[in-house]
Amino acid sequence: MRPDPRVVRAKERLDRLDWWPRPVRIDRVAVFVTPWFFRLPWFRRFDGHAFHVGMLLRSDGVSDDLVTHELCHVWQMQHHPIRMPLSYLLSGYWNNPYERQARAAVAATRPTAAAPSVRPL
């Protein structure tokens, strides 16, 4: 399976960070465009959702920043496959440390970004 070009670009961005012991692996990361999924009540407010081996996107026209954010979640789950998803039950969404880290990864890897400031959990 050939990786989605958006995922390849997101990996290039995340590879600049040394937040986890191993770089993100994308050889099995699948991308699905599933607008119907984002009509479900809990997911209406989102444009992307990550799971262990891929991500769901609301549309093909999402930004590279969103793909990088979701790939960061895949990277987190590659290191903490149980703790990361369960953290949403304990911390919720906005205060979740994994969400904060994914947002920081996007900010730190933008072309004009300064050095990364958030380390692994």
Side-chain angles (χ1 to χ4, degrees):
M1 177 171 100
R2 181 175 219 161
D4 186 296
R6 296 170 292 191
V7 173
V8 172
R9 289 192 303 270
K11 177 181 173 34
E12 289 170 357
R13 288 173 67 170
L14 294 178
D15 281 349
R16 298 186 344 223
L17 307 173
D18 63 352
W19 294 353
W20 295 99
R22 296 174 309 278
V24 63
R25 296 179 314 275
I26 63 168
D27 54 320
R28 295 184 184 188
V29 173
V31 176
F32 301 98
V33 176
T34 54
W36 61 266
F37 180 81
F38 297 97
R39 288 187 209 110
L40 296 172
W42 174 255
F43 296 99
R44 285 183 186 147
R45 59 190 172 144
F46 302 114
D47 290 319
H49 179 74
F51 52 99
H52 288 84
V53 292
M55 63 187 77
L56 305 177
L57 302 175
R58 181 183 297 272
S59 72
D60 267 328
V62 299
S63 69
D64 280 356
D65 282 354
L66 178 64
V67 176
T68 301
H69 179 100
E70 299 305 332
L71 188 62
C72 186
H73 288 319
V74 171
W75 191 21
Q76 293 162 343
M77 285 186 271
Q78 288 174 354
H79 288 83
H80 294 289
I82 296 170
R83 183 186 316 163
M84 187 276 186
L86 289 179
S87 70
Y88 289 86
L89 297 174
L90 300 172
S91 305
Y93 177 79
W94 290 106
N95 294 321
N96 189 295
Y98 292 100
E99 277 303 321
R100 288 195 311 267
Q101 187 184 56
R103 289 183 209 120
V106 169
T109 61
R110 281 193 182 116
T112 59
S117 61
V118 176
R119 301 295 299 174
L121 306 169

